[in-house]
Amino acid sequence: MLNEIDHVAIAVKDLEAAIAFYKNAFGVEVEHREVVASDGVEEAMIKIGTSYVQLLSPTSPESPVSKFLEKRGEGLHHVGYRVTDCSAVLEKVKAEGVEVLDEKPRPGSRGTTVAFIHPKGALGTLIELVQP
Ligand code: CMX
Ligand code: CO
């Protein structure tokens, strides 16, 4: 049900500094930037093959990424798996008794449809299902 890695998300304190790090260290550039108000984040997407690195910084103190940075510091925040049918995968996961954060798929960045799965029931990894 998981087609590809859509993105690997990294929580950062300073988005401009993070973008500069990737540009200077690896010569890669941002393809897409977006503020996702519903999630309290600003993202910078760097394309790598058919996947992305999603650099994520909080836009408010209530953002889940603010809390993450306070507790854990900068680092890997979640993995996004590209799926054909977000709703179908979510229902399958729920039927397996896995704790989800979204009961129904919702809009994500780049016009995608997404749903998050709680890290506690998923080997300590926050998972995002991403339907392009
Ligand atoms: N990865 C792994 N574990 C995580 C985590 C993460 N990103 N964030 C929190 N946790 C851990 C916490 O450390 C905590 O562990 P302990 O109990 O051992 O201390 C545990 O999960 C439970 O945390 P919680 O109190 O239930 O929840 P939090 O308030 O810490 O929020 C989470 C965590 C995942 C529920 C919240 O971040 C969330 O709802 N995320 C989904 C939305 C999101 O992340 N949006 C931003 C990205 C948007 C995008 O990619 O487009
Ligand atoms: Co994401």
Side-chain angles (χ1 to χ4, degrees):
M1 295 183 105
L2 308 178
N3 299 338
E4 284 178 288
I5 306 277
D6 183 80
H7 63 274
V8 170
I10 300 168
V12 303
K13 289 178 185 153
D14 182 337
L15 194 59
E16 306 310 324
I19 292 166
F21 169 77
Y22 267 86
K23 185 177 165 61
N24 296 335
F26 306 115
V28 290
E29 305 263 2
V30 171
E31 186 189 86
H32 177 81
R33 266 182 92 144
E34 187 171 335
V35 172
V36 189
S38 51
D39 279 286
V41 295
E42 180 168 6
E43 67 169 31
M45 303 296 275
I46 296 170
K47 197 162 192 191
I48 297 173
T50 56
S51 304
Y52 293 89
V53 169
Q54 179 187 46
L55 302 173
L56 270 183
S57 65
T59 54
S60 77
E62 296 78 40
S63 166
V65 175
S66 287
K67 200 169 170 186
F68 181 91
L69 288 170
E70 273 164 35
K71 273 180 91 171
R72 301 183 168 215
E74 293 181 309
L76 214 54
H77 185 261
H78 64 269
V79 178
Y81 293 115
R82 204 171 288 149
V83 300
T84 306
D85 185 343
C86 186
S87 181
V89 183
L90 187 63
E91 289 311 317
K92 156 82 173 141
V93 164
K94 282 161 67 178
E96 294 295 327
V98 176
E99 185 184 344
V100 298
L101 290 159
D102 297 296
E103 284 300 322
K104 291 275 173 243
R106 61 181 179 85
S109 70
R110 298 169 287 149
T112 60
T113 299
V114 304
F116 283 86
I117 297 169
H118 202 291
K120 280 284 158 183
L123 309 172
T125 311
L126 176 60
I127 294 175
E128 179 180 3
L129 304 172
V130 185
Q131 180 183 332

